[in-house]
Amino acid sequence: MIYLDNAGTTKVSKNVIKAMLPYFDDVYGNASSLHTMGQIAKEALDKAREDVAKSINAEPNEIYFTSGGSESDNWAIMSVALNGLKKGKKHIITSSFEHHAVLDTLNKLEKQGFEITYLPVYKNGIIKIEDLKNAIKEDTCLVSIMMANNEIGTIQPIKEIGTTCREKGIFFHTDAVQAVGHINVDVKEMNVDLLSISGHKFHGPKGVGVLYAKKGIPLQNLIEGGSQENGKRAGTENIASIVGLSVALKEAVNEMNKIAKREKTLRDKLFEELKKIPHSVINGDKEQRLPNNFNMSFEGIEGESLLLLLNDYGICVSSGSACTSKSLHPSHVLLAIGLPHEIAHGSLRLTLSKYTTEKEIDETIKTVPLVVDYLRKMSPYWDKLEKGEIKHVI
Ligand SMILES: *Cc1c(COP(=O)(O)O)cnc(C)c1O
C-alpha cells in the first residue's frame, strides 16, 4: 500500500513505540503518587515537558498536555474569549480556511454573541497583514490564524501577525498542528501567545497533544479535579503517550532539514509530472507551503471517485480534509481560495512523509493520469466540456 495521506495522520516511528512501551509495563506508576513507581512516571512527565518546550523555544511551565489538536484549539479559543467577555471585548479575527476545530468553536461563540471576522486567504492561500490591521477593532480580544493549512499546506506570515497583535495588545493563537515537527517553530521569535500541537501529525501517537500558553495568558480551567497540568486540566496523565509525543517531536526536529529537503524533491516531482494533465490547477502558493504537501484540482471529475479508484490501485490519498471527507460538500478551504464548486469537487491531496519512497511517487505519477483519464471518459459532464457545450473553467 502507498500511503500519501500524512496530513490526515502518520505512522508512529519505531523509536517512539520503543520509548512508550515501558510506561505500560515496567513503570506504570501514577505521576501523582509519592512512591518510587510514581516518581519515575513524574520524572518522565517533567522530561517530556522540558523537551517539548525546548523544541518550540518555550518554558516548561508554558506547556499543557491535552488529548490532541482539537482540544488545544478549543481550550485556547474558549479561554481567551471568556476573558474578553469579562472585559466587554467580543470581537475575534480568524481566517476563512481554518481547521473545523477552530471554525466550529468560533461558530459556537458567534451564537453566544461574539462577532467573528473571517480574513480572506486569496488565491495563493495566504492572508494579507493589511487586511488584519484593517480588521482590528477596539473590542478585538483574539486573533486565531493557523500556521500551515491542512489541505493546501500554505504557510501564513505568523511572525508578522504575532508582531501586529502584540503591538495592539491582542492575544494571538495559532493552530500549528500541521507545522510543528515539519517547519521551524519558535514561539518567542514569532510572538505567539497560544499554540496548538498534535502528536499524530509527526509520527507520534494519536490522542495526545499540547497547548502552549505563554506565561500570564488567562487560561481557564478545562477539567476540574486533581492538580494535574497546573490545576487546569485534571486527570491522571497519559505518560506513555506524552513520552511518545515528546520523543516523536525531538526526532522530527532533529531530522527536519534532511526530511524536508527529500520530501520537497519528491513533492515537486509530483507537481512537475501531474500538472501535465490538461485542465488541471495547482492549489495554493508553490513556495510558501509545507514541503510534503501536494494539492491539485482536475476539471470534470469528482475527487471522491478519484480517491476510491486510486484506493483500488493501493494508493491512499485524500480529496479534502479527513474530517469532511464523509460529506460531499466541497472543501471550505478550496472554496476560500476561490475555486468554483465544480473544480473544488475534483481535488486531490497527496501528503508525503519520511517513509515515502521515490518508487511510490513514480507509481503515483503513472497511476493518477490513467485514473483521471478514465473518470473523464465516463463523465457526461466532461463530454459536454469537450464538445464545447459547457466552457472549461481551467
Ligand atoms: C489534525 C488537525 C487538527 C486536529 O488534531 P487532532 O489531534 O486530530 O484533534 C487540528 N488542526 C489541524 C490544522 C489539523 O491538521
Side-chain angles (χ1 to χ4, degrees):
M1 199 132 60
I2 299 177
Y3 185 80
L4 293 175
D5 193 16
N6 287 283
T9 196
T10 58
K11 174 190 174 105
V12 179
S13 139
K14 289 274 185 296
N15 290 334
V16 169
I17 298 175
K18 219 167 107 192
M20 289 174 73
L21 285 177
Y23 299 95
F24 294 108
D25 194 7
D26 293 336
V27 282
Y28 51 83
N30 183 323
S32 301
S33 302
L34 296 178
H35 47 65
T36 305
M37 193 70 118
Q39 288 313 294
I40 294 174
K42 175 76 165 55
E43 277 166 26
L45 179 63
D46 291 345
K47 171 85 166 49
R49 208 182 298 280
E50 279 166 28
D51 287 347
V52 169
K54 220 176 279 168
S55 69
I56 57 169
N57 196 19
E59 305 303 322
N61 61 6
E62 296 173 320
I63 299 298
Y64 296 84
F65 289 110
T66 67
S67 68
S70 301
E71 181 183 320
S72 300
D73 285 343
N74 276 254
W75 192 7
I77 293 169
M78 291 308 286
S79 285
V80 177
L82 205 69
N83 182 66
L85 198 59
K86 285 182 198 153
K87 300 188 165 149
K89 292 184 165 188
K90 290 170 74 172
H91 178 235
I92 297 173
I93 301 171
T94 188
S95 83
S96 54
F97 75 168
E98 295 293 310
H99 190 272
H100 280 290
V102 168
L103 284 183
D104 292 357
T105 304
L106 294 175
N107 238 323
K108 182 166 81 177
L109 287 168
E110 202 163 17
K111 288 192 186 111
Q112 293 171 13
F114 277 80
E115 185 199 345
I116 318 290
T117 299
Y118 299 90
L119 299 182
V121 292
Y122 300 94
K123 195 165 175 292
N124 63 358
I126 299 171
I127 68 136
K128 289 189 176 143
I129 292 293
E130 273 316 298
D131 289 343
L132 171 66
K133 286 182 175 160
N134 291 334
I136 291 172
K137 304 200 299 184
E138 274 295 299
D139 67 338
T140 306
C141 61
L142 169 68
V143 171
S144 179
I145 292 175
M146 70 200 317
M147 195 170 288
N149 184 268
N150 45 303
E151 289 188 44
I152 59 172
T154 52
I155 299 167
Q156 301 301 327
I158 292 300
K159 187 178 173 179
E160 287 83 348
I161 299 171
T163 307
T164 305
C165 291
R166 191 110 346 140
E167 275 167 18
K168 303 272 181 188
I170 299 165
F171 291 123
F172 173 39
H173 164 251
T174 185
D175 175 338
V177 170
Q178 289 291 337
V180 168
H182 298 271
I183 57 173
N184 280 320
V185 175
D186 181 324
V187 292
K188 290 202 176 86
E189 196 204 81
M190 291 171 159
N191 286 329
V192 169
D193 295 315
L194 299 123
L195 177 141
S196 305
I197 297 176
S198 174
H200 72 103
K201 303 290 174 75
F202 47 79
H203 307 293
K206 295 170 184 59
V208 62
V210 167
L211 175 61
Y212 155 79
K214 189 177 185 295
K215 207 160 166 274
I217 294 293
L219 199 59
Q220 306 293 322
N221 286 11
L222 183 66
I223 302 175
E224 304 300 337
S227 62
Q228 293 92 351
E229 300 306 306
N230 203 18
K232 295 186 184 295
R233 185 186 186 274
T236 303
E237 300 89 344
N238 184 351
I239 302 294
S241 288
I242 288 170
V243 166
L245 180 147
S246 76
V247 171
L249 184 51
K250 227 162 106 174
E251 194 167 84
V253 169
N254 284 340
E255 300 175 336
M256 187 181 289
N257 293 340
K258 199 180 87 203
I259 292 170
K261 199 166 157 227
R262 199 174 153 272
E263 284 174 342
K264 190 172 177 303
T265 307
L266 293 178
R267 189 275 313 275
D268 288 345
K269 189 170 180 187
L270 279 171
F271 273 142
E272 274 314 303
E273 294 302 321
L274 296 182
K275 76 178 186 197
K276 292 177 187 162
I277 296 174
H279 303 286
S280 64
V281 64
I282 292 174
N283 295 318
D285 194 89
K286 270 189 267 179
E287 297 307 319
Q288 281 296 101
R289 82 190 285 144
L290 295 171
N292 72 333
N293 175 290
F294 165 102
N295 193 310
M296 278 187 75
S297 293
F298 306 102
E299 193 173 23
I301 62 166
E302 292 283 340
E304 285 73 21
S305 318
L306 185 57
L307 183 155
L308 293 174
L309 265 181
L310 286 172
N311 189 53
D312 287 346
Y313 280 91
I315 306 176
C316 304
V317 306
S318 167
S319 61
S321 80
C323 316
T324 54
S325 60
K326 280 192 191 129
S327 77
L328 287 181
H329 296 296
S331 131
H332 71 286
V333 172
L334 299 177
L335 295 180
I337 59 168
L339 288 192
H341 270 249
E342 62 269 33
I343 305 297
H345 265 300
S347 299
L348 173 67
R349 180 186 75 181
L350 307 173
T351 42
L352 289 60
S353 84
K354 63 177 174 180
Y355 300 115
T356 308
T357 64
E358 179 148 28
K359 195 159 156 268
E360 291 174 330
I361 293 302
D362 290 343
E363 187 70 26
T364 306
I365 286 169
K366 253 191 359 221
T367 313
V368 172
L370 291 179
V371 172
V372 168
D373 196 48
Y374 173 79
L375 287 171
R376 280 176 171 172
K377 284 200 173 114
M378 296 220 316
S379 153
Y381 186 78
W382 182 254
D383 194 44
K384 285 184 183 161
L385 282 168
E386 285 298 272
K387 284 185 182 142
E389 291 167 22
I390 309 172
K391 264 179 104 156
H392 282 288
V393 183
I394 52 173

